[in-house]
Amino acid sequence: MAAAARTLNISPSAIAQQLSALERELGAPLIVRVGRTVRMTEQGGRILSQARQLLRDAADLKSIANDDALSGELHLGACTTPLMGMLPEILARVSARFPDITVHIESGNSAQLYAQVEAGNLDAAFVLEAPYLLPKTSDWMVLREEPLIVLAPARLAHRSPHDLLANEPLIRYDRNQWGGRHADEYLRKAGICPHERFELNALNAIAVMVDRGLGVSIVPDWSPPWPEGINIARLPLPTQEIGRRIGVVWSRSSIRMRLVNILLAEAVAATRPTALGLTP
């Protein structure tokens, strides 16, 4: 209660009075006092997410009502690789040019985030390219293409990628996930039947396991950051094969489309040197 009073620059007693008035209006207790502490009631918990949405919608009114006012809140999603790699730079550009835009970010896997965009819960999401056609209510733009490479301990860097994949234990990038399907397809197309030792959906962990000598792996050449202190070789395949595409999907029906367009422009500006697999 005291923290809320400081944030709103009013007295704690005024906070208590406003809460009491809200409880009378709603006809339900929202908080309960236990000794000197205050906790939320079950009724308060049930309305919390809707109350937050109301506040976000109220913040959007300024952007909707004033064509010249670039303000409001964007609701974004991001899977692990862009969340740790490209997204911080994109958001830094947005924040520097448009300081009145605030951003709420939800993390998750690509399939979950596509569903959230399609449901209208997110304005846009930084995800892997979907292995299916998108509904007409959504659109997609690729920001980076990542070719498949072979990761091997540095001491094995002199050997060919196919030799390593055929004869060394394989740390497989999870074939049940979108990101691992292309690697599995390449192995089958090349006629390589690897000796599988591990299978997981965590690229940084795969790199560390390769460094520890547990095997080799075929993975997309993902953007930094990579784990520190590892000594591994990143070997190109005989022919370039795209491992995955990373980009942004957005809802065409978002009421914050002006803010989404700003995000898209800054995403292109921030990633263009590395888009389509180019080296910065």
Side-chain angles (χ1 to χ4, degrees):
M1 300 285 280
R6 288 194 295 271
T7 299
L8 298 174
N9 197 28
I10 59 178
S11 68
S13 61
I15 291 286
Q17 290 171 8
Q18 291 183 16
L19 274 172
S20 296
L22 182 59
E23 289 175 327
R24 288 195 300 271
E25 184 175 350
L26 296 176
L30 301 179
I31 62 170
V32 62
R33 291 168 177 80
V34 180
R36 301 187 64 181
T37 64
V38 176
R39 64 177 178 83
M40 191 179 304
T41 64
E42 182 181 350
Q43 296 94 324
R46 284 200 297 264
I47 71 167
L48 180 60
S49 61
Q50 186 63 37
R52 286 173 171 161
Q53 183 61 52
L54 288 171
L55 289 174
R56 287 194 291 265
D57 290 344
D60 287 334
L61 289 176
K62 181 179 178 182
S63 178
I64 295 170
N66 299 283
D67 288 341
D68 297 331
L70 292 173
S71 62
E73 184 176 74
L74 270 172
H75 304 269
L76 303 181
C79 62
T80 301
T81 299
L83 182 62
M84 299 296 293
M86 64 176 66
L87 188 54
E89 174 61 24
I90 294 169
L91 295 181
R93 296 178 64 95
V94 172
S95 297
R97 296 191 59 196
F98 307 97
D100 291 330
I101 296 177
T102 58
V103 181
H104 174 82
I105 303 172
E106 178 178 330
S107 61
N109 65 45
S110 292
Q112 294 168 338
L113 297 174
Y114 272 98
Q116 290 284 71
V117 171
E118 291 169 12
N121 298 324
L122 295 174
D123 300 310
F126 291 81
V127 289
L128 306 185
E129 184 179 29
Y132 53 78
L133 292 176
L134 296 183
K136 294 181 179 180
T137 55
S138 300
D139 213 340
W140 156 266
M141 178 173 67
V142 64
L143 296 174
R144 177 180 170 87
E145 288 186 341
E146 298 178 338
L148 288 173
I149 58 171
V150 172
L151 299 185
R155 60 183 174 80
L156 302 180
H158 63 284
R159 292 169 55 182
S160 74
H162 280 194
D163 175 36
L164 291 169
L165 291 171
N167 296 294
E168 295 295 328
L170 179 69
I171 305 169
R172 185 186 281 275
Y173 188 26
D174 188 356
R175 75 197 94 180
N176 295 314
Q177 303 293 327
W178 292 356
R181 292 181 183 178
H182 291 294
D184 183 56
E185 290 169 1
Y186 181 85
L187 289 171
R188 287 190 282 106
K189 185 172 64 175
I192 297 173
C193 297
H195 169 53
E196 298 182 28
R197 176 174 283 178
F198 305 99
E199 184 167 0
L200 65 159
N201 184 32
L203 291 172
N204 279 351
I206 289 175
V208 173
M209 293 168 72
V210 171
D211 176 68
R212 299 298 187 270
L214 295 176
V216 301
S217 190
I218 176 171
V219 295
D221 190 12
W222 74 94
S223 57
W226 282 57
E228 295 183 3
I230 60 174
N231 184 22
I232 61 176
R234 297 158 62 187
L235 306 175
L237 295 172
T239 59
Q240 188 176 83
E241 300 284 343
I242 298 301
R244 63 182 186 179
R245 293 178 175 87
I246 296 176
V248 56
V249 61
W250 66 93
S251 170
R252 293 176 176 174
S253 60
S254 172
I255 63 172
R256 291 172 283 270
M257 199 61 222
R258 292 176 71 238
L259 302 187
V260 172
N261 285 331
I262 289 171
L263 176 76
L264 296 175
E266 296 304 328
V268 169
T271 61
R272 188 52 59 198
T274 55
L276 308 182
L278 299 177
T279 302

